[in-house]
């Protein structure tokens, strides 16, 4: 009798593990689904780390209780190798060559010191000076009058800033570089205060197209952030937790629907210039397993996935610890040692830092 109960229990747990594997696969590849058609399902990719942790718990359970059954979670992890590598890449560190170009992409939060105690403008100023970057792409690069006086005069030879709305006050994209700016093009898509701009830089004998992006934000209210924080901490139970989860998923889904055509517009621009040296960076406002990142990265090298390590959390507020700032390059560019620099906490984003080298064409 006891043997039958034990066998039934093992079968029941194995079945639960299979279900967990199926869920992990579904959320792991949710980034392939266009949110315009299936908004809720497309947003489930952000749950991938939780699904992976559940499967990991099953793996430890089987190794302790019945090791032969460990094949179920093991096969599950093999099936989600691609999303696992995107979410948590592991790479051997390679030092960039001496002639590599250092790139920094940073959402500076409008230099708003309210986000951080002390002088965030001064912190960012000092960080950019010490970085000795060759190309700096900034999002929310709004403090133009102090910038021209304090930061960029004498630091970068070439500077350009583009307002993303008619007033020019809400959001701006900026590029600051030691390379001559040949021209710029705005990538057109509908948005009140977001946008993408392609700058053409003269890098030696090559032309490098740098596309800086600030895609649609999620627009969470203060109450939404509070609910999310409580859910993550496990401070909500029962009907309240379910209602909050549905509400937050709805908010995330709505914003992903707005970002989808923006990401597709950037991808089309890259495709139209295929064969040229292209670098895409900025605040995508979406996690690694999102449709947004998936579309923009199609046909590109994701610099962090290719050369970075770990989660690479770039957003650092409200308990929403995701990598929403990304950097990609075309196939004719080699990235090195892409990293999220958490030492600079003067904004609600951390800078993305990467070295790139253009592979010379014969």
């Amino acid at each position: 009798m006891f043997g039958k109960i034990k066998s039934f229990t093992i079968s029941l747990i194995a079945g639960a593990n299979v279900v967990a594997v199926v869920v992990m696969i579904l959320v792991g590849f949710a980034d392939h689904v266009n949110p315009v058609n299936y908004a809720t399902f497309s947003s489930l990719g952000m749950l991938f780390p939780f699904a992976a942790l559940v499967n990991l718990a099953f793996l430890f359970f089987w190794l302790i209780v019945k090791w032969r059954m460990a094949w179920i979670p093991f096969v599950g992890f093999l099936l989600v190798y691609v999303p696992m590598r995107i979410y948590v890449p592991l790479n051997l560190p390679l030092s960039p060559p001496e002639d590599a170009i250092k790139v920094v992409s940073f959402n500076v939060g409008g230099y708003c010191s309210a986000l951080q105690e002390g002088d965030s403008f001064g912190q960012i100023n000092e960080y950019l000076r010490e970085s000795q970057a060759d190309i700096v792409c900034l999002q929310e690069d709004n403090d133009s009058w102090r910038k021209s006086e304090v930061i960029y005069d004498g630091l970068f030879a070439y500077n350009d800033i583009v307002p993303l709305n008619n007033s020019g006050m809400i959001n701006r994209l900026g590029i600051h570089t030691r390379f001559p700016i040949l021209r710029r093009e705005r990538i057109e898509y509908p948005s009140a205060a977001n946008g993408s701009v392609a700058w053409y830089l003269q890098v030696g004998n090559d032309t490098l197209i740098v596309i800086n992006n600030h895609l649609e934000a999620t627009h969470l209210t203060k109450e939404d952030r509070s609910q999310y924080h409580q859910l993550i901490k496990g401070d909500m139970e029962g009907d309240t937790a379910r209602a909050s989860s549905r509400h937050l998923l709805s908010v995330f889904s709505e914003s992903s629907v707005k970002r989808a055509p923006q990401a597709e517009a950037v991808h089309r621009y890259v495709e139209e210039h295929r064969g040229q040296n292209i670098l895409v960076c900025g605040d995508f406002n979406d996690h690694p397993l999102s449709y947004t990142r998936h579309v923009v990265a199609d046909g590109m090298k994701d610099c962090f996935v290719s050369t970075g390590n770990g989660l690479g959390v770039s957003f650092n507020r409200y308990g929403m610890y995701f990598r929403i700032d990304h950097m990609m390059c075309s196939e004719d560019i080699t990235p090195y040692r892409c990293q999220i620099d958490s030492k600079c906490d003067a904004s609600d984003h951390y800078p993305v830092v990467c070295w790139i080298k253009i592979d010379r064409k014969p």
Side-chain angles (χ1 to χ4, degrees):
M1 184 67 175
F2 177 76
K4 290 183 178 180
I5 294 175
K6 180 180 178 182
S7 178
F8 175 76
T9 302
I10 291 295
S11 299
L12 195 65
I13 297 173
N17 194 174
V18 170
V19 171
V21 167
V22 171
V23 170
M24 183 174 65
I25 294 171
L26 289 175
V27 299
F29 290 95
D31 59 346
H32 289 64
V33 178
N34 192 327
V36 173
N37 301 321
Y38 303 98
T40 301
F41 181 77
S42 179
S43 300
L44 294 179
M46 65 192 310
L47 300 179
F48 179 76
F50 303 103
L53 286 174
V54 170
N55 197 51
L56 184 63
F58 274 113
L59 178 60
F60 285 130
F61 172 81
W62 291 127
L63 290 175
I64 294 171
V65 176
K66 193 176 180 65
W67 68 269
R68 286 189 177 88
M69 300 299 292
W71 69 269
I72 299 175
F74 181 75
V75 169
F77 281 125
L78 288 179
L79 293 174
V80 295
Y81 170 78
V82 172
M84 183 69 73
R85 174 157 173 74
I86 292 173
Y87 211 99
V88 192
L90 295 174
N91 296 284
L92 294 174
L94 295 176
S95 297
E98 291 185 1
D99 57 346
I101 299 167
K102 185 177 183 180
V103 182
V104 174
S105 176
F106 191 8
N107 183 327
V108 295
Y111 308 100
C112 181
S113 60
L115 294 171
Q116 181 74 16
E117 294 182 5
D119 180 14
S120 66
F121 189 90
Q123 292 180 52
I124 294 169
N125 178 359
E126 187 65 21
Y127 176 79
L128 293 179
R129 285 184 179 277
E130 292 180 354
S131 74
Q132 297 184 335
D134 301 300
I135 301 172
V136 174
C137 292
L138 300 183
Q139 303 86 46
E140 300 186 31
D141 190 7
N142 300 344
D143 200 76
S144 58
W145 67 273
R146 296 182 70 180
K147 180 168 56 233
S148 62
E149 290 181 2
V150 182
I151 291 188
Y152 301 116
D153 279 0
L155 181 57
F156 297 103
Y158 305 94
N159 306 277
D160 193 32
I161 305 156
V162 177
L164 299 180
N165 69 318
N166 292 332
S167 70
M169 298 301 293
I170 294 179
N171 193 2
R172 298 183 179 192
L173 290 178
I175 189 168
H176 311 282
T177 175
R178 68 181 181 86
F179 300 115
I181 299 173
L182 302 176
R183 61 189 176 94
R184 71 168 186 236
E185 291 182 354
R186 179 79 180 264
I187 299 176
E188 297 297 333
Y189 53 74
S191 181
N194 303 278
S196 302
V197 178
W199 278 277
Y200 289 68
L201 307 184
Q202 184 69 49
V203 181
N205 295 323
D206 300 296
T207 299
L208 174 65
I209 303 175
V210 179
I211 303 175
N212 191 5
N213 303 271
H214 189 286
L215 305 185
E216 197 74 32
T218 305
H219 305 299
L220 293 173
T221 66
K222 185 176 180 180
E223 178 62 25
D224 292 337
R225 295 187 184 111
S226 176
Q227 289 183 24
Y228 178 86
H229 196 57
Q230 292 178 61
L231 280 170
I232 295 299
K233 291 175 62 179
D235 292 343
M236 280 188 182
E237 296 181 359
D239 293 340
T240 303
R242 284 189 289 273
S244 294
S245 298
R246 286 194 294 269
H247 169 70
L248 289 171
L249 187 57
S250 174
V251 173
F252 287 123
S253 300
E254 289 174 7
S255 61
S256 67
V257 169
K258 294 179 181 178
R259 278 190 296 272
Q262 299 173 1
E264 290 165 353
V266 174
H267 175 67
R268 282 195 301 272
Y269 191 90
V270 170
E271 286 297 308
E272 290 167 0
H273 296 79
R274 183 69 65 188
Q276 300 186 54
N277 307 308
I278 303 175
L279 179 73
V280 181
C281 63
D283 179 5
F284 288 24
N285 272 307
D286 228 334
H287 57 90
L289 295 181
S290 63
Y291 179 79
T292 303
R293 193 217 70 94
H294 172 73
V295 167
V296 178
D298 184 20
M300 304 281 284
K301 297 177 186 175
D302 186 310
C303 297
F304 188 82
V305 174
S306 300
T307 68
N309 285 286
L311 290 171
V313 172
S314 68
F315 189 74
N316 56 56
R317 294 293 192 278
Y318 318 120
M320 297 181 181
Y321 302 118
F322 295 103
R323 186 168 79 248
I324 66 173
D325 301 87
H326 305 278
M327 190 177 294
M328 290 98 177
C329 62
S330 52
E331 290 296 325
D332 48 9
I333 295 175
T334 302
Y336 295 88
R337 217 168 70 194
C338 188
Q339 57 193 270
I340 310 300
D341 193 349
S342 59
K343 295 191 296 295
C344 182
D345 60 354
S347 170
D348 52 354
H349 294 247
Y350 294 132
V352 181
V353 182
C354 187
W355 285 259
I356 63 170
K357 181 172 172 52
I358 298 173
D359 298 328
R360 308 296 178 190
K361 299 180 180 66

